[in-house]
Every structure is written in C-alpha cells, then in structure tokens.
Amino acid sequence: MGDTIANLKIGEIGIIQDFCLDAIPLNLLEMGCLPGKEVRLLQIAPLKDPLYIKVNGSHLAIRIETAKQINITKLR
Amino acid sequence: MKSNSLLNIALVGNPNTGKTSLFNQLTGLNQKVGNYPGITVDKKQGRCKISEYLTAEITDLPGTYSINPTTLDETIVLETLLNESNNSYPDLVIVVAEVENLKRNLFLFSQIKDLQFPSILVINMSDQMIRKGITIDIEALKRELKSEIILISARKNLGIDDLKREIENYENWNTEPIANISDKIDTVFFETIKTTFPEFSLYKSWLLITQQKNCAFLSSELYQKITAFNPDSEKVKKYQHKETIYRYQIINEILKKTYAVDKNEATDLRSRLDKILTHKIYGYIIFFGVLMLIFQSIFEWASLPMDLIDSLFANVSELAKTNLPKGTFTNLIAEGVIPGIGGIVIFIPQIAILFLFIATLEETGYMSRVVFLMDKIMRKFGMSGKSIIPLISGTACAIPAIMASRNISDWKERLITILVIPFTTCSARLPVYAILIALIIPDERIFGIFNLQGLTLMGLYLLGFAAAISSAILLHNVLKIKTQSLFVIEMPNYKLPSFKNVFYEVVEKTKAFIFGAGKIILALSIILWFLASNGSEKFKNAAEYVTTQESAKHLNDDVLNKKIASYRLEHSYIGTMGKVIEPVIKPMGYDWKIGIALISSFAAREVFIGALATIYNVGSDGVGSGTIKERMAAEVDSVTGEKRFNFATGMSLLLFYAFAMQCIGTLAIVKRETKSWKWPILQLTGMGALAYIVSVITYTILS
C-alpha cells in the first residue's frame, strides 16, 4: 500500500484509488484521471520529472508533485 | 429564421482535434483576427456561406478540454459562451471531436449541451476509423446524445457539405441538457440556484457561481446576486469533482452502447518515436539540432529577401525624391513614410520563417515532447517547459512571444517568462548588431574557419539567452508568489503537418506583427522625420547664421552647404534633445548624434539605423551618398578627430542594445498581458539600468 503514480515503473499499470482534491488540478480530473481508472506509466523525462502517463485513453504529462498525490494500487 | 443578420457560430473543441483545419475549410482566406473587447486575446473569425440565403460568422475558439478554464486562452471560451452581450455570442455551437478519444471530447460536448445551446457534434478524422479498428453506431449515438452528429475529415474536405446542410436546420435541434447535475450532487442546493436564476440554464448559473473571478463581464446587479451564494471553495471543488465523475459515468454508459474499438492496435509509431525524441541523450541532441536548424534558416534564408527589400525601399525613396515636385510633402514621403514602411517590411522574412517552423513543429506534435523534455530544467529557472516556445519566438519578435505565453497556467512561471523574453535577441536588434559589428570587428577568420564577425554575433545571441536565464533565476528567488502547479499537458499523436494549417498560421502571425508593431514603427519614423526637419529660430535661419559666421573664411559653396546642414541638424528639435542628454550618455562614449539615435530607438530598436541614416544624411548635404555604413565609418569626433565609431564606443553600443528595453510595443503588450504597469516599468528600469552600467564599464575599460 501507499503507492502513488510516482512509484510506478515504466510500463507498469495501476488503478487510481483516491487523491486529495485540493492538490489535483481540476483539468486533470476533467481529462478523465478519476478513481477506478487505469493508469499506465509510459515514460519518465530524463531528469525524472515530468511523468508521461496514459489514463482513460488520454496521453498526458504531469509533474511528479502531482503524481505523488494520486494513490493507486499496482496491477501485477 | 435569422435571414438578414449573420448567424454566429462558435467552434469549440479539444486541442489537436483538427478544429483549426475545419475552420480553415469553412472560411478559407476569409479570416480576420480581432481582439475581444476588454481582453487582448486574439479572436479568429471568418465568414462562411452556409447556403444561398445564409451566411455565418464563425469564431474559432481556443482549444480546451473543459469550459472550466485553467489558462488565459481557455477563459475566452467561458466568456464567449456565457456573456450574452458580447457580439460573438453564438446562435449555435459546433463541437469538434476526434474519433480516437471520443470519451474525453464528449465531456466537453456534454457541458456545451447543458448550457442548452443548439449544438452539433462533429467527429473529425473519421477516415481513420477503419485503420484504428473503431466502429461507432452513429444513429444510436444521436439518440443517446439527443443531438445531430456529422462525420467529417477536415483535412480531406469530406463531410463539410453535410455539416453545412445540417446547420441550415439548426432551429429544430434538440437543446435538452444531457447531465442532470442537480439530482446527482445536491438537489436542495441546486434547486435554490434554479429559483434564484430562472432566466438561465442551471448549468450556466452553476458556472457563473463557480467561475465568478473569470466573469469580468457580469453586471453589478447580477454579480451581487451571484456573490450572495458564495459557497466555500471546498464545497465547490467537491461538487466539481462529483460533476466530473457523473459526466464520465453518463458518457461511459453511452459509449458502451455505441462505440467499439478493436484493441489489437497496429504497430505503435507513437511509442517508438517517443522513445527516441524524449530520450535522455538523443532527445536533447535532436532538440538542439532543431534549434540550430531554425536559427540557421532565419539567417540564411531570410538574408536574401531582406537585402532585396532593403534596396527596393532605398530605390523607391530615391525615385520619389527625384520625381515628385520638391517640397515638404515629398520629403515626408521620401524620408519619413517610405523608409518607415521599409523598416516594417524588412522583418517579414524572418518572422514568417520562424513561425513556419514553430507552426510545423506544433502540428506534428513534437512541441509537446519538447515541453516534456525541458520542463524540469526550465523549472530550475522559475519557468515551465511551456516557456520554451515563447523564448524561441522571442528571437523573432517579443510581441508574439509574449502572447504565446498565455498557455502557461501557472501565474508565476508565466510572469517570469514574460519578463525575461525581451532579453532574447529579437530580429529588431539584428540590423543594429550587423552594422556595428561590420564597423568595429575586422572581417577575418580565426583558426582559418571561424569568421570573427559571425562569432561576435553568436556571442551576442548567447549573451541574450544568458541574460534571460540569469534574470529568471533572480526573479525566481525574489518574487514571492505562491502557486500550485497546474501543469498538465496532452501528448498528442504524431501526425504529418497540414500545409494549409501551417500556411494560415504563418499568414496570421505575420499579419499580427505588421498591424501591431508595424503601426508603431511607422508612426515613429514620421515623428522622427518631423523632429529632424523642424526646429527653433536658429534652425530656420541656419543659412544666415552660418554665412555670417564663416564669411571671413571664403569657403566654397559645397563646404558651406555642409556646414549649414549640420548646423541645422544641431538646432532641430531632435538635435536639441540629443544635446540635452549628452552629459548622461557621455560616460558610455556617445555624442549627441548617437544620442538622437538612442532617443528614437527607445521606441523601437531598429529605428536606430534609420535614425543614423537620417542624421548623417541630413547632416551632409541633403543628398545621400554612399551606404549608411560608409557614412558612419567616415564620421569623426569633432573634438579629438578620432573615428566616432571606434572599438570602445561600438562595443558599448552593442552591449547597450543587448540589454536595454527599447520597444514600446513590448511594453504595451506586457502591460496588457499582466494587467498592471508595475511589470513593464520594472522591465524598463531594470533592463535600462543594467544596460547603462554595462556600457559605461565597457567603454571605460576599452578606451
């Protein structure tokens, strides 16, 4: 437990559990980054930040500080 | 049926859905760029003939994922759709969606539907459905969404006529909302809203309440009614979250019945390209290569047309002088207006080439990868990965560059970007650099390959970037603005750029420059000409004064005329101004003539050369002889007899132009974009002080 998107390794998939609403930009939710959705980490930028993810059919880049706020359970 | 007036259509959609392609198909070159009243964001509009009897004014709104704005650009969408008194308030809305990510596109569509506009869903790139294994049951989707749907392929010009035919019938479209937010979130709360604002749709009232700060257009009466609600921000966030979840629930239900995708995706070009383009080594090498290519082309490709434009305007001016009847008006045309227009036109090649590259790179999807690659680095300087595009654009002109910073959602990152952009070497500095370098740096090669003059120019470019980065670091540490990162960018699919879209973008940006900055440059050239050709009593009677003064010396006419002309310049209005500031600029190694050029170029840098040309032209005998450079090289200090533009003065001038904020257009745009005089004044004084100190030190050391 205690995993966030920031803990995923490249290629790994997690299911979004919850997040602190205040820490997440509304537009990220509106792009479909919502509890119950699958997130796959596609790539990490060379300096470890931002992260390139696929969620709800969208390919997005988010900063690690945002990624750390989104709790997930890893799929194995 | 609205028969006599125009039909207002708003074009809304996610970024990268081909919205602009559709706009270009519908309107062709029938486009204009205007301003939204009160705000400065460009408004792209165009006319389109829907049928024999019906013409539409189409507004291409900035791409957005939601009506709730996160950037300045997106605020326009909100404003256009909520403010009934704005003159592009739509009669109907076209929502452009893309076939692949229909789910997210329908999110926006559901919001528009809930505002109860007559709206139509246009699904673009339908020609790629088979290749991507997507099937859509259009009839079922129409029923579920209670809306008309048209499949198009904007790039291939398919389905556009169907769309026009459907629009003719817009008054019969269903305007029922899709999502019943009140029942699913808080019935009591939303019922109160409904009864307080019976004149609006429920969703509109909810948006007005939650987006008060982005609704500057509200009447004070309505504003009070809205603020009376004032739900606390936690509640708002919670309800917005619930609303988002609820919308996706509805959409998922609908798509389950109507949309299918064959998961066996073909070879994934995206991930293979991503691996290379965002690679920790190759990624940067490729980006650096692209940058080099851009700069190289700005110089190489633009130099020929720029030389042509330069000599063309010189010839036209000469022609006007010799062929028009002599007089003040002819002088105004030949010495004020024509060079003034030339001073604008000469920048078009560079600006067009730069935007050709930027538009192409954005179209392909590569720019998002650059943002991804550079974000962390730029954050160390208090900026965002999204600052890269404005900073590159700054090498053409700071004005479009500052406007390009609008999509940075974080205020502090955006502000720093805006503040440091004027340090990047814009094309207005180039003519100044070029002529000064030619005057003071020998045209020699070192190590047999590097041209000394070229190296100096490159050094000045790097100096500009270094100044931008260091001042960004300084601002990052000084500015105490706490913001929460809202950074989310979409990584769009790679695609081949559409020639048409790139072309329109280049035309639009170039036009914006000509009519924005160009007006100022032209106006200043005319004012400058006036100040140089009028003056006090001594100016008017220059011939008498000089003749009496020099009468003992028995000079020949030629020398006498030169003396009169230079006496006249000295006592013209601008000469007087130059004399006034001479004590201040003396430590930098300048005399009053350079002072005149400095004053004139305070408003726009490139005027420097034109001003010197005017000064030395007027100062000789009124008839141009030799190029500006030759005349400048021949100029000597009247006291010491040394060359006026020696190494020390030249270097001091180069550095002054590298650092000083001399562009009224930029100051004006910064004021508009930051909504405060504080920031342009900071730029003006901060950059001015830096330039002055550096120039004084340089001159003192070198002379």
Side-chain angles (χ1 to χ4, degrees):
Chain A
M1 275 312 285
D3 279 337
T4 66
I5 291 184
N7 299 120
L8 286 172
K9 295 196 182 72
I10 289 179
E12 280 187 330
I13 298 175
I15 304 281
I16 299 179
Q17 295 301 309
D18 57 12
F19 37 72
C20 169
L21 265 184
D22 286 333
I24 306 292
L26 179 62
N27 59 339
L28 187 58
L29 306 184
E30 290 177 332
M31 288 184 187
C33 185
L34 293 165
K37 296 284 177 212
E38 262 187 29
V39 193
R40 180 200 277 267
L41 182 68
L42 297 177
Q43 199 131 356
I44 304 175
L47 298 165
K48 308 276 176 247
D49 183 16
L51 305 179
Y52 180 177
I53 58 172
K54 181 175 181 184
V55 59
N56 198 28
S58 298
H59 295 80
L60 307 173
I62 58 172
R63 285 181 181 162
I64 203 144
E65 63 194 76
T66 312
K68 278 182 181 159
Q69 303 289 337
I70 303 173
N71 298 315
I72 53 154
T73 44
K74 283 191 190 180
L75 279 189
R76 308 210 177 256
Chain B
M1 177 65 86
K2 269 175 89 158
S3 51
N4 293 327
S5 57
L6 276 171
L7 190 64
N8 265 334
I9 299 182
L11 212 52
V12 180
N14 285 187
N16 309 308
T17 48
K19 189 169 60 65
T20 303
S21 298
L22 175 61
F23 178 70
N24 289 338
Q25 289 291 5
L26 286 172
T27 60
L29 263 181
N30 230 332
Q31 305 177 2
K32 61 174 194 281
V33 177
N35 274 326
Y36 290 93
I39 22 176
T40 54
V41 179
D42 294 334
K43 171 157 85 171
K44 264 170 76 179
Q45 285 187 320
R47 291 276 164 97
C48 171
K49 217 168 151 68
I50 300 295
S51 72
E52 216 176 310
Y53 312 101
L54 191 60
T55 306
E57 174 101 323
I58 302 180
T59 307
D60 184 21
L61 291 172
T64 184
Y65 300 101
S66 159
I67 296 184
N68 291 305
T70 43
T71 65
L72 204 63
D73 267 343
E74 293 170 8
T75 312
I76 303 305
V77 181
L78 181 82
E79 149 119 33
T80 308
L81 296 179
L82 295 191
N83 181 7
E84 280 169 48
S85 52
N86 91 55
N87 55 14
S88 36
Y89 185 75
D91 298 306
L92 71 107
V93 181
I94 298 177
V95 181
V96 186
E98 177 222 351
V99 71
E100 208 176 349
N101 206 339
L102 198 55
K103 198 191 290 176
R104 200 187 58 210
N105 288 288
L106 284 181
F107 180 85
L108 179 64
F109 183 67
S110 76
Q111 290 179 320
I112 306 280
K113 274 293 271 186
D114 288 356
L115 286 173
Q116 299 189 298
F117 281 106
S119 34
I120 186 165
L121 181 67
V122 168
I123 303 180
N124 191 16
M125 305 185 207
S126 54
D127 54 318
Q128 297 183 22
M129 276 164 65
I130 295 171
R131 195 167 62 80
K132 292 187 169 160
I134 297 168
T135 43
I136 305 175
D137 182 345
I138 295 292
E139 289 309 314
L141 193 58
K142 278 184 187 174
R143 274 196 308 277
E144 295 285 338
L145 293 172
K146 301 168 207 158
S147 309
E148 295 305 322
I149 299 171
I150 303 280
L151 288 176
I152 65 160
S153 172
R155 283 201 185 183
K156 296 188 177 159
N157 205 4
L158 298 172
I160 310 289
D161 291 332
D162 298 340
L163 174 62
K164 286 184 184 171
R165 262 195 300 280
E166 194 53 60
I167 289 173
E168 279 183 75
N169 191 30
Y170 82 101
E171 281 169 315
N172 300 321
W173 292 351
N174 187 332
T175 55
E176 269 177 69
I178 291 182
N180 186 351
I181 49 173
S182 105
D183 287 355
K184 291 287 170 175
I185 301 174
D186 181 339
T187 319
V188 180
F189 178 73
F190 281 99
E191 280 306 315
T192 340
I193 297 179
K194 248 187 228 174
T195 42
T196 319
F197 305 100
E199 70 273 37
F200 300 143
S201 64
L202 175 63
Y203 191 55
K204 176 167 178 174
S205 322
W206 171 234
L207 281 176
L208 288 176
I209 292 167
T210 51
Q211 296 293 344
Q212 293 169 29
K213 64 171 172 25
N214 291 319
C215 298
F217 53 85
L218 294 174
S219 69
S220 57
E221 188 193 351
L222 190 56
Y223 187 76
Q224 273 175 4
K225 231 167 129 187
I226 284 164
T227 44
F229 263 91
N230 253 0
D232 60 278
S233 62
E234 213 170 297
K235 189 169 175 177
V236 166
K237 257 213 125 158
K238 213 171 88 194
Y239 283 7
Q240 284 175 331
H241 182 208
K242 282 189 173 177
E243 180 200 326
T244 308
I245 293 179
Y246 177 53
R247 283 188 193 280
Y248 272 115
Q249 265 173 12
I250 298 174
I251 292 164
N252 284 333
E253 285 297 311
I254 293 175
L255 288 181
K256 220 183 271 173
K257 296 178 211 162
T258 56
Y259 184 90
V261 57
D262 183 7
K263 284 280 179 190
N264 292 331
E265 280 177 45
T267 51
D268 203 350
L269 180 69
R270 168 202 285 267
S271 69
R272 271 189 287 157
L273 272 178
D274 277 341
K275 284 221 168 61
I276 303 166
L277 294 179
T278 63
H279 187 270
K280 59 187 166 198
I281 297 163
Y282 309 134
Y284 292 108
I285 293 176
I286 293 168
F287 177 50
F288 192 71
V290 169
L291 276 186
M292 284 292 112
L293 179 70
I294 295 178
F295 291 141
Q296 193 66 27
S297 337
I298 291 181
F299 285 116
E300 294 288 318
W301 301 358
S303 66
L304 183 67
M306 285 175 87
D307 288 346
L308 286 178
I309 292 168
D310 198 20
S311 57
L312 176 76
F313 275 88
N315 289 338
V316 172
S317 171
E318 206 50 50
L319 211 66
K321 230 190 245 177
T322 41
N323 289 337
L324 291 174
K326 282 208 172 353
T328 316
F329 184 70
T330 300
N331 285 343
L332 170 67
I333 298 290
E335 291 168 7
V337 176
I338 294 175
I341 295 174
I344 305 158
V345 176
I346 197 148
F347 292 111
I348 292 177
Q350 285 190 334
I351 288 183
I353 290 171
L354 182 84
F355 282 107
L356 179 74
F357 275 101
I358 291 182
T360 309
L361 293 177
E362 291 208 47
E363 276 268 308
T364 56
Y366 178 64
M367 275 301 186
S368 303
R369 275 68 186 182
V370 172
V371 173
F372 178 67
L373 206 58
M374 296 300 290
D375 187 58
K376 182 76 182 189
I377 298 173
M378 297 307 285
R379 286 185 81 190
K380 292 199 198 311
F381 311 133
M383 292 185 276
S384 151
K386 292 182 185 172
S387 308
I388 289 285
I389 300 161
L391 286 174
I392 298 174
S393 313
T395 55
C397 178
I399 293 167
I402 286 167
M403 295 201 283
S405 74
R406 280 182 193 137
N407 70 351
I408 303 173
S409 46
D410 182 305
W411 166 238
K412 185 179 170 183
E413 291 172 351
R414 178 159 173 254
L415 180 63
I416 293 180
T417 309
I418 291 176
L419 291 179
V420 306
I421 281 173
F423 276 120
T424 56
T425 304
C426 67
S427 47
R429 283 185 178 99
L430 273 185
V432 182
Y433 285 175
I435 202 153
L436 289 173
I437 287 176
L439 275 174
I440 61 164
I441 307 286
D443 188 9
E444 285 166 11
R445 288 178 187 279
I446 50 169
F447 310 127
I449 34 170
F450 298 111
N451 178 295
L452 216 49
Q453 295 187 335
L455 280 181
T456 313
L457 186 63
M458 198 169 122
L460 286 163
Y461 260 89
L462 294 178
L463 187 70
F465 277 117
I469 296 295
S470 2
S471 47
I473 296 174
L474 182 74
L475 288 164
H476 184 37
N477 290 310
V478 171
L479 289 176
K480 292 280 168 259
I481 304 173
K482 265 201 90 67
T483 51
Q484 187 205 342
S485 168
L486 298 171
F487 181 90
V488 179
I489 58 157
E490 195 190 358
M491 307 288 266
N493 254 332
Y494 292 102
K495 55 174 186 259
L496 285 174
S498 134
F499 173 77
K500 201 168 179 177
N501 288 355
V502 170
F503 174 74
Y504 283 121
E505 174 81 8
V506 171
V507 170
E508 187 202 315
K509 284 287 188 334
T510 312
K511 258 161 80 180
F513 167 78
I514 296 172
F515 296 112
K519 270 187 283 191
I520 298 172
I521 298 175
L522 179 60
L524 282 167
S525 319
I526 294 173
I527 293 176
L528 188 71
W529 168 83
F530 174 82
L531 290 177
S533 45
N534 288 281
S536 60
E537 181 259 346
K538 276 187 181 166
F539 173 90
K540 283 171 200 134
N541 304 319
E544 271 173 50
Y545 277 106
V546 176
T547 323
T548 22
Q549 250 174 37
E550 311 280 333
S551 57
K553 292 185 193 163
H554 303 290
L555 297 165
N556 67 28
D557 279 1
D558 209 28
V559 180
L560 192 67
N561 279 339
K562 274 192 183 164
K563 291 234 172 211
I564 295 172
S566 79
Y567 187 85
R568 195 175 266 165
L569 176 69
E570 204 173 333
H571 292 93
S572 66
Y573 291 126
I574 196 138
T576 318
M577 288 160 79
K579 289 250 164 178
V580 169
I581 65 158
E582 195 172 20
V584 183
I585 57 173
K586 199 139 202 161
M588 298 152 83
Y590 312 155
D591 63 359
W592 62 271
K593 285 187 183 173
I594 301 179
I596 294 175
L598 275 193
I599 294 177
S600 1
S601 66
F602 163 74
R605 297 178 181 92
E606 61 279 14
V607 179
F608 178 78
I609 300 301
L612 286 177
T614 316
I615 292 161
Y616 295 133
N617 196 9
V618 176
S620 56
D621 49 10
V623 183
S625 59
T627 64
I628 302 170
K629 190 184 136 191
E630 282 160 2
R631 276 182 253 151
M632 283 169 77
E635 181 75 5
V636 288
D637 189 320
S638 53
V639 183
T640 60
E642 250 189 73
K643 271 196 172 176
R644 178 71 269 161
F645 291 94
N646 58 15
F647 187 66
T649 303
M651 281 309 283
S652 156
L653 264 174
L654 279 178
L655 292 172
F656 186 82
Y657 274 84
F659 294 129
M661 174 72 183
Q662 300 157 286
C663 180
I664 282 192
T666 305
L667 289 171
I669 202 92
V670 171
K671 196 271 156 177
R672 290 199 315 195
E673 294 286 315
T674 61
K675 296 195 176 68
S676 151
W677 278 111
K678 187 168 142 196
W679 305 114
I681 289 172
L682 176 77
Q683 281 180 315
L684 181 65
T685 50
M687 293 174 71
L690 176 68
Y692 186 74
I693 293 167
V694 170
S695 299
V696 170
I697 294 175
T698 310
Y699 183 71
T700 317
I701 292 175
L702 292 180
S703 64

